[in-house]
Amino acid sequence: MTARRIAIVPHTHWDREWYKSYQDFRLALVELIDTLIPLLERDASYPHFMLDGQMAVVDDYLEVRPEAEERLRALAAAGRVSVGPWYILMDEFLASGETIIRNLQMGLERGAAFGGVMDVGYLPDMFGHIAQMPQLLRLGGFRDAVVWRGVPSAVTKNAFTWEAPDGSAVRAEYLPVGYGNGAALPDDAKALVRRISDNVDEVAEFLTGDLLCMNGSDHLMPQPGLGRVVAEANDLQDDYLFEVTSLPRYLARGTSDGLTTVQGELRSGYRANMLMGVTSNRVDVKRQGALAERELERRAEPLSALFRPATEYPDRLLALAWREVVRNSAHDSICACSVDDVVDAVLHRYAEARTIAAGLADRAVKSFARSLAIPGPSVLNASARSRDGLVELVVPADGPATDDVQVLSERSGVPGSMVLDADTVRTVLGMMQGPRISDDAWIHDVRIEDTEEGIDITIAVGTEEKPGVPIAEAKQDVYTRLGARPDSVIRVAMDQPSTRRIVARTAEVPGYGWTAFEAAPLSSPASVTEEGTSVVLDNGLVRVDIDGKTGTFGLDGIPGYGRLVDEGDLGDSYNYSPPRQDSVIDTPEAVTVQVTERGPVRARARITATYVWPDHVDGSSQARVGEHRVDVETDVEMRADDRVIRVTTTFVNPSGDHRLRVHLPLREPATHSRAVSPFTVVTRGLTAEGRADEFGLPTAPANRFVTAGRLTVAHEGVCEYELVDVEGDTARTLALTVLRATGMLSRLGMAYRPFPAGPMTPVEGLQMRGKRVTLRYALAVDCDDPYRLADDVLLPLEVASSLGGGTRPSAGSELTVHGAEVSALHRVGGVLEVRVFNPHPEPTTVSFGDRSGWLVDLRGYPLEPFEGSFELRPFGIATMRLHGE
Ligand SMILES: [Zn+2]
């Protein structure tokens, strides 16, 4: 009998932040790598250490020990340390697809400075895996994945073939007991042999060859003396051949023959906890994450790439914003299964990234406005698809408004003048920092004149920003004149025309293009009628009946939309868990409905429903106790010529230990749902695989939209949903989780997950008490293009006000992309790069008009050239670099 080879891979699993803050864990990280470097340098029998598949640990260390960089580089170049490939070990469901790719690219780029990254798609601790991961890995040049959580019961060996929807496949090494099966090995050879014998027995049915012994776990230090004890163990017996090695060397010996093939996402809880409840804890974090990603991916990058000169492309600022977003995508960061210090840091990073992205996007829009030849408002479309939509803008109020626009507010002009003394003028000028007076009023001109009595100042105000108005000079001029004539009287005259804020429908705007604003005629105007306590919104295409008693609304005759169902949750940050004596609150105590906009362009009503929610779940009785009165406001909006109903629900959460969901009736019973996952739409049934250790709760994340039973719901941020009201094998309702409030990072003895999944630490922030919770979503029946719906709802058309004087014509487009969804449009080294994906089961032709370029992989290596268009396989992802500007 030949000896079984035992491949020991020393490593650590480094959650950058979790039950302690980033800085806390970093202190330990510095100690770890301070120990590791000399250990590897002096002990050749300790041949290798894996730095957890993520470059962040290297950067976090070198920030403190810059002098150690050369030594670490030398060890990496010699193959003694493996680094990357990721920048961080992300959560795959809660980050956007683009964030996952940038994470990999950051890891590859940073790893290049250390002789290259580990050639393995290492995914040890993620809470399940997305369907397209095998394709992303192949596009990144990887053939191997290493996974633990989410693997279904169909996998019975320690390796399987994992296939993405496009057919791309990787060999997936399955860690049957996780990434720490070889943690804390005994320092005694006999004990080591016994321990490994137990390890082999534990997973014997899975083994196809060697035993992979992952020598490390969460934040564990390397074990000095490992080389010695392994050599002694080899001398002692012949059953096992111990070898300290690297993951790539172990995988190189693995067979790919006869492996089970698993297609698509891995979300089974059959063998390891899926921890599916992280999607719905700290909904504020998930929402801020999505807002930051959208601002970066859909506004800052494309608008900067198309409407600013290539030489002014803000690479560095965008990289800073991306770094924050990528760091936040770490599985314990965006998952918010963390202490409050960590969640605060995550929210701050998202705020920083979003501020940078929004500022860059606004600068690009201004750059566009300045380039227009003709003055006036223009409508700009930051998406690839040509579309119409509503815009709000401020226009001069000359004459009555036309039938096609809806006036939201009016402001009469400010003619006339006021007389001020010198001190008041100095105070006012001191407060004036620039040409902006209000949201939509900008100083266009300042004229200053000396008169017999004093000084006359005339200020002309317009509705758009006018560059180059010499405000600072004018202020200085006034100060100088006041200095010369300290007792003079100052007359300030404002020259501001009357304006109105309107909302109107625009004609079609080309993809990545613009047109001068013109209100389009309305064929199906929106109207409002009030009948007793009920309100009806109708545009001839769709009808909404708001019920003044229940606070819900009917959609084309089917009632019950927007029903808020509140129930107890004695779970933790990882899992929902109903208390033993649950009570459900789904009826408000009082309801008022107020019409806030009456059409014809847009009709809106606000439902204010007052509920009495219990305060918390009593630990011993497990009943919900106490009470709070809470007003939940829901705005329901209908637009002219549009079948989509937009809804925003918001409230300040007063209670703990509860889960709030909004119920949305399906149009017909459904056996499955279809939800957005990065780079594809996945189909999910009504059940999920689980086990005694974790109930297979069929709640799942949707990234932007979910469809079931002819109803499509587009929503802001990743949302948790579940198909409920199940009878037989069909469901009748889609429940979206608005909030899940628990006070524990992890807990023992829960109904749905008896054993803890992390430290049992109370975390006040997880209760979300006193926090404003906002859920924005839109409903469409029989929607044939949910990606279009999501863009219309989440990425509105932009308005740019121009003073003219540029060279750009009044309509046009900077780039044509047809035939696929665009994931990224940005510049890499000055060159336009576009990433698209085909979410459909048929091949598509992706066309770029007359543009040509190269298809590249995720490392930027050229694959093949194209002229104008190319074929993209079903569910394929492709990245192109375009020639020319
Ligand atoms: Zn982890």
Side-chain angles (χ1 to χ4, degrees):
M1 187 187 121
T2 54
R4 186 186 291 277
R5 207 193 291 244
I6 307 298
I8 299 175
V9 176
H11 78 107
T12 190
H13 176 59
W14 207 265
D15 298 302
R16 192 170 185 261
E17 52 192 4
W18 180 20
Y19 57 87
K20 290 183 186 174
S21 70
Y22 158 58
Q23 296 297 355
D24 244 335
F25 277 131
R26 182 163 69 174
L27 291 171
L29 175 70
V30 171
E31 286 162 7
L32 187 153
I33 302 184
D34 275 353
T35 308
L36 177 69
I37 291 175
L39 170 66
L40 290 168
E41 285 172 343
R42 70 166 182 266
D43 185 356
S45 76
Y46 195 117
H48 187 79
F49 194 84
M50 180 174 76
L51 279 174
D52 200 28
Q54 48 173 338
M55 285 308 301
V57 289
V58 173
D59 277 355
D60 294 347
Y61 174 73
L62 291 178
E63 194 178 36
V64 181
R65 294 271 191 268
E67 68 278 12
E69 180 154 356
E70 280 314 308
R71 292 167 75 192
L72 200 54
R73 241 179 242 266
L75 287 166
R80 303 286 303 282
V81 167
S82 52
V83 297
W86 304 102
Y87 192 78
I88 200 123
L89 295 181
M90 67 295 183
D91 184 273
E92 299 171 32
F93 290 98
L94 301 183
S96 73
E98 216 33 54
T99 298
I100 295 172
I101 286 181
R102 305 303 171 99
N103 175 9
L104 181 59
Q105 291 178 329
M106 274 172 68
L108 292 168
E109 190 181 330
R110 190 70 186 112
F114 292 81
V117 298
M118 178 171 73
D119 192 20
V120 178
Y122 186 59
L123 301 161
D125 194 25
M126 289 68 171
F127 307 165
H129 303 280
I130 55 167
Q132 289 282 30
M133 184 52 76
Q135 182 176 185
L136 294 178
L137 291 177
R138 291 303 297 266
L139 290 170
F142 300 91
R143 291 177 173 273
D144 288 285
V146 173
V147 297
W148 170 38
R149 299 183 197 274
V151 173
S153 58
V155 171
T156 56
K157 296 295 171 191
N158 69 309
F160 62 97
T161 300
W162 183 18
E163 207 174 271
D166 77 316
S168 304
V170 291
R171 181 189 186 278
E173 177 75 20
Y174 167 49
L175 306 171
V177 287
Y179 51 82
N181 67 325
L185 291 176
D187 196 32
D188 170 80
K190 280 187 190 154
L192 176 63
V193 173
R194 280 198 302 276
R195 158 76 183 268
I196 290 301
S197 175
D198 289 346
N199 280 150
V200 169
D201 289 349
E202 188 182 12
V203 297
E205 57 181 314
F206 289 97
L207 289 187
T208 56
D210 306 352
L211 175 78
L212 173 60
C213 177
M214 296 290 287
N215 173 228
S217 190
D218 301 355
H219 310 109
L220 283 195
M221 299 285 280
Q223 288 189 267
L226 183 68
R228 173 190 49 77
V229 70
V230 159
E232 289 170 8
N234 278 334
D235 290 344
L236 202 68
Q237 48 76 52
D238 296 321
D239 292 339
Y240 305 116
L241 177 60
F242 291 91
E243 177 191 41
V244 182
T245 186
S246 70
L247 203 49
R249 277 201 293 274
Y250 160 77
L251 292 172
R253 287 197 300 268
T255 177
S256 291
D257 296 338
L259 299 182
T260 301
T261 297
V262 177
Q263 285 170 328
E265 65 178 5
L266 307 179
R267 285 190 63 80
S268 166
Y270 184 73
R271 291 207 175 90
N273 288 339
M274 255 299 298
L275 310 173
M276 69 292 279
V278 293
T279 304
S280 50
N281 75 27
R282 288 303 301 243
V283 287
D284 53 338
V285 171
K286 279 58 172 185
R287 182 160 190 263
Q288 291 307 322
L291 292 175
E293 286 174 333
R294 189 167 74 226
E295 205 66 47
L296 255 177
E297 296 168 13
R298 306 300 306 274
R299 290 192 74 231
E301 286 194 336
L303 292 171
S304 301
L306 296 177
F307 296 107
R308 288 179 75 170
T311 50
E312 287 176 19
Y313 188 72
D315 301 272
R316 299 279 297 213
L317 283 161
L318 288 166
L320 280 178
W322 271 116
R323 191 180 63 184
E324 300 304 293
V325 168
V326 166
R327 281 175 169 166
N328 274 356
S329 70
H331 55 283
D332 293 314
S333 303
I334 192 164
C335 289
C337 44
S338 312
V339 293
D340 284 336
D341 277 358
V342 169
V343 176
D344 291 348
V346 168
L347 286 171
H348 182 70
R349 286 185 210 118
Y350 277 139
E352 297 240 294
R354 191 175 160 199
T355 301
I356 292 172
L360 292 177
D362 292 348
R363 279 161 175 76
V365 172
K366 284 197 179 119
S367 166
F368 160 76
R370 282 195 296 274
S371 70
L372 286 163
I374 312 277
S378 283
V379 184
L380 186 58
N381 179 4
S383 87
R385 48 171 56 85
S386 145
R387 57 196 183 131
D388 54 19
L390 294 200
V391 288
E392 278 186 33
L393 66 164
V394 175
V395 294
D398 37 13
T402 63
D403 289 348
D404 297 329
V405 309
Q406 184 174 331
V407 177
L408 300 175
S409 61
E410 299 212 53
R411 194 180 55 201
S412 48
V414 188
S417 59
M418 49 197 155
V419 174
L420 304 169
D421 60 52
D423 281 348
T424 311
V425 169
R426 279 200 185 87
T427 310
V428 171
L429 288 179
M431 290 187 297
M432 240 175 70
Q433 293 305 315
R436 187 174 202 161
I437 297 177
S438 72
D439 266 4
D440 46 38
W442 303 78
I443 295 177
H444 277 195
D445 188 31
V446 183
R447 288 192 307 277
I448 306 162
E449 276 175 86
D450 279 304
T451 63
E452 292 275 306
E453 310 86 69
I455 304 168
D456 273 10
I457 305 175
T458 309
I459 301 173
V461 177
T463 54
E464 59 282 288
E465 183 176 8
K466 184 179 178 184
V469 180
I471 301 291
E473 289 83 344
K475 278 167 74 172
Q476 195 51 53
D477 187 358
V478 174
Y479 288 139
T480 308
R481 289 177 200 240
L482 288 175
R485 301 172 64 187
D487 297 327
S488 56
V489 168
I490 298 101
R491 197 176 70 218
V492 180
M494 294 283 273
D495 178 8
Q496 183 177 13
S498 297
T499 57
R500 57 172 68 113
R501 173 166 282 274
I502 60 163
V503 58
R505 189 152 201 97
T506 69
E508 199 88 350
V509 186
Y512 297 128
W514 67 94
T515 56
F517 167 74
E518 200 176 335
L522 308 175
S523 11
S524 302
S527 68
V528 179
T529 45
E530 289 167 81
E531 297 167 4
T533 57
S534 297
V535 171
V536 178
L537 314 181
D538 199 341
N539 64 5
L541 303 170
V542 58
R543 176 187 158 108
V544 169
D545 288 271
I546 300 175
D547 179 348
K549 292 196 179 67
T550 61
T552 63
F553 58 94
L555 198 53
D556 284 340
I558 296 186
Y561 288 86
R563 186 163 72 97
L564 292 168
V565 179
D566 187 65
E567 55 207 328
D569 187 351
L570 199 58
D572 59 15
S573 66
Y574 298 104
N575 293 79
Y576 160 74
S577 184
R580 269 199 310 276
Q581 297 190 50
D582 202 1
S583 50
V584 177
I585 314 286
D586 64 351
T587 314
E589 217 176 43
V591 175
T592 60
V593 184
Q594 185 196 354
V595 177
T596 49
E597 290 185 22
R598 296 188 171 272
V601 178
R602 188 168 68 188
R604 272 180 178 167
R606 171 166 297 177
I607 306 164
T608 305
T610 307
Y611 292 88
V612 179
W613 290 343
D615 179 71
H616 66 281
V617 175
D618 177 67
S620 52
S621 68
Q622 289 216 5
R624 302 180 76 190
V625 295
E627 59 178 49
H628 286 287
R629 211 158 239 89
V630 55
D631 288 342
V632 180
E633 283 179 352
T634 299
D635 286 323
V636 182
E637 176 185 317
M638 173 184 288
R639 298 178 169 188
D641 301 342
D642 194 343
R643 295 172 187 277
V644 178
I645 301 302
R646 290 161 166 81
V647 184
T648 303
T649 290
T650 184
F651 61 96
V652 176
N653 177 46
S655 304
D657 304 333
H658 69 133
R659 177 174 77 172
L660 179 70
R661 303 205 287 187
V662 59
H663 281 216
L664 305 165
L666 304 181
R667 308 305 284 190
E668 64 186 28
T671 56
H672 63 274
S673 62
R674 291 178 50 72
V676 177
S677 168
F679 300 109
T680 193
V681 175
V682 291
T683 301
R684 296 176 179 136
L686 302 182
T687 57
E689 208 174 47
R691 58 177 178 157
D693 289 357
E694 189 190 55
F695 175 67
L697 192 67
T699 58
N703 184 323
R704 286 199 289 163
F705 65 77
V706 50
T707 295
R710 293 175 45 215
L711 178 74
T712 298
V713 185
H715 47 83
E716 186 163 69
V718 177
C719 269
E720 178 186 88
Y721 74 93
E722 183 181 359
L723 292 183
V724 297
D725 293 341
V726 176
E727 281 172 40
D729 56 0
T730 57
R732 295 180 170 275
T733 304
L734 181 91
L736 270 193
T737 308
V738 185
L739 162 83
R740 205 168 67 77
T742 74
M744 296 292 282
L745 200 165
S746 185
R747 206 190 277 272
L748 181 69
M750 289 158 42
Y752 287 176
R753 202 207 66 229
F755 303 113
M760 291 178 282
T761 310
V763 179
E764 190 49 44
L766 285 166
Q767 293 285 26
M768 299 279 290
R769 281 186 206 264
K771 290 193 194 304
R772 177 159 291 283
V773 175
T774 301
L775 174 66
R776 263 182 77 202
Y777 62 96
L779 304 171
V781 176
D782 296 328
C783 173
D784 54 3
D785 187 352
Y787 279 100
R788 169 183 283 273
L789 170 71
D791 272 4
D792 285 347
V793 172
L794 302 172
L795 190 73
L797 294 166
E798 315 238 350
V799 178
S801 262
S802 176
L803 292 159
T807 55
R808 192 184 289 273
S810 58
S813 167
E814 279 293 325
L815 182 69
T816 305
V817 188
H818 288 314
E821 296 299 320
V822 176
S823 175
L825 166 53
H826 63 146
R827 286 188 187 274
V828 177
V831 177
L832 264 190
E833 183 180 273
V834 187
R835 184 160 25 258
V836 298
F837 61 101
N838 174 10
H840 303 295
E842 305 84 30
T844 185
T845 302
V846 184
S847 65
F848 284 86
D850 55 1
R851 303 292 287 264
S852 60
W854 279 81
L855 284 145
V856 298
D857 69 10
L858 293 182
R859 298 188 187 218
Y861 296 138
L863 299 171
E864 55 181 294
F866 73 91
E867 296 275 348
S869 68
F870 64 91
E871 291 296 300
L872 184 58
R873 64 197 174 280
F875 303 110
I877 304 167
T879 306
M880 287 72 53
R881 300 245 170 110
L882 304 184
H883 295 318
E885 271 298 284

